[in-house]
Amino acid sequence: MAGVARYDEIADFYASGWSDTIDDPASLRLLALLEPMAGRRMLEIACGHGRISRELARRGAEVVGADISAALIGKAEAAERAAPLGVRYLHADVTAEGRLRELGSFDAVVCGFGLSDIDDLDGAVATAAAALRPGGIFACSILHPCFPGGPGVSGSWPAHARYQAEGWWRADGEQSSLRRQVGANHRTLATYVNTFRRHELWLDELAEPEPDPAWAARRPEAARHPVFLVMSCVRSSAARLAAGPA
């Protein structure tokens, strides 16, 4: 696979730190953008160990989850065997994996905090757009790209750098336990929105959910600025029709 599976080495740490209890404001807002879910086909890209995929299935969706990390997909499949929800998992590079195009069209494509892990944003968004039916929804959550965080808390880009300087970097905030290990790709908000538009995904709703009050109280400088960004886009019907049947 062309991409980098940075989570393979920290799969145990990640799965133990991010459980199936979905209570963080960004994930709750992401899920709200996808309602109603019952009976709809959904694809989660960069699904990790499947916590969001499982919640989608609990709410009635037919779900496929895909991730480049074999270790995390293994954990997702183990969870499915232990408590079946009907989720199908694929070990796949979502920026180039042809198998995803063989799954048919979806009503929604979801990416929870995964876009900054993917080096090839254009490839991932192209895959998401191609998987959607006309009028389908692409919904994603990311660390807010416009702010550098605060003392001990790394934001989307290094505090000593320029916002416009895009690229991969490894966080150094002592409280940013995940990003110190796997790093992240910083991109400007314009890059995200223009990439969506290039693939006929039209921005429909944007939210900046406030962090949990207890988190904010311990990190007041970081909480002064928006921490999360949640977006939903609609797949242009005209583009799919112009391309002809899949």
Side-chain angles (χ1 to χ4, degrees), residues 41-134:
R41 294 194 78 218
M42 296 191 178
L43 169 66
E44 185 186 9
I45 61 174
C47 70
H49 58 299
R51 64 190 294 265
I52 295 294
S53 288
R54 287 190 289 276
E55 184 61 24
L56 297 173
R58 291 188 192 100
R59 298 187 185 200
E62 176 188 341
V63 185
V64 176
D67 199 283
I68 197 171
S69 170
L72 288 179
I73 286 294
K75 290 184 178 296
E77 291 175 333
E80 175 65 21
R81 289 192 296 271
L85 290 166
V87 182
R88 177 183 177 186
Y89 293 105
L90 295 175
H91 176 217
D93 180 351
V94 300
T95 70
E97 183 61 49
R99 282 196 303 166
L100 297 181
R101 291 191 287 273
E102 298 170 1
L103 298 174
S105 61
F106 292 84
D107 298 297
V109 176
V110 189
C111 189
F113 287 105
L115 291 181
S116 62
D117 289 304
I118 298 172
D119 297 338
D120 180 6
L121 176 66
D122 193 79
V125 175
T127 295
L132 283 170
R133 65 166 177 78

Side-chain angles (χ1 to χ4, degrees), residues 6-41:
R6 299 185 179 99
Y7 282 72
D8 278 348
E9 295 182 0
I10 65 158
D12 290 340
F13 163 82
Y14 183 61
S16 64
W18 282 264
S19 71
D20 276 18
T21 301
I22 311 293
D23 57 6
D24 64 282
S27 296
L28 290 173
R29 189 72 184 93
L30 177 69
L31 292 167
L33 290 176
L34 296 163
E35 293 286 7
M37 299 185 196
R40 300 173 71 198
R41 294 194 78 218

Side-chain angles (χ1 to χ4, degrees), residues 84-229:
L85 290 166
V87 182
R88 177 183 177 186
Y89 293 105
L90 295 175
H91 176 217
D93 180 351
V94 300
T95 70
E97 183 61 49
R99 282 196 303 166
L100 297 181
R101 291 191 287 273
E102 298 170 1
L103 298 174
S105 61
F106 292 84
D107 298 297
V109 176
V110 189
C111 189
F113 287 105
L115 291 181
S116 62
D117 289 304
I118 298 172
D119 297 338
D120 180 6
L121 176 66
D122 193 79
V125 175
T127 295
L132 283 170
R133 65 166 177 78
I137 300 296
F138 174 65
C140 64
S141 58
I142 56 175
L143 196 64
H144 205 299
C146 297
F147 304 100
V153 182
S154 295
S156 178
W157 45 284
H160 62 272
R162 298 173 63 251
Y163 167 69
Q164 288 82 6
E166 298 185 329
W168 184 87
W169 71 294
R170 192 182 297 278
D172 55 9
E174 61 189 32
Q175 298 179 57
S176 299
S177 57
L178 176 63
R179 295 300 168 188
R180 286 204 319 269
Q181 298 183 73
V182 297
N185 287 284
H186 167 63
R187 303 175 179 104
T188 66
L189 180 58
T191 291
Y192 279 111
V193 173
N194 290 335
T195 301
F196 299 157
R197 172 64 184 85
R198 191 160 57 248
H199 293 284
E200 300 295 339
L201 296 173
W202 293 86
L203 186 64
D204 181 61
E205 188 165 347
L206 186 150
E208 297 169 306
E210 294 191 36
D212 179 82
W215 185 97
R218 295 192 300 271
R219 306 162 179 86
E221 288 301 314
R224 289 178 60 238
H225 308 291
V227 178
F228 309 117
L229 183 64

Side-chain angles (χ1 to χ4, degrees), residues 133-136 200 202 234-243:
R133 65 166 177 78
E200 300 295 339
W202 293 86
V234 177
R235 177 70 162 96
S236 169
S237 300
R240 180 65 63 89
L241 293 173

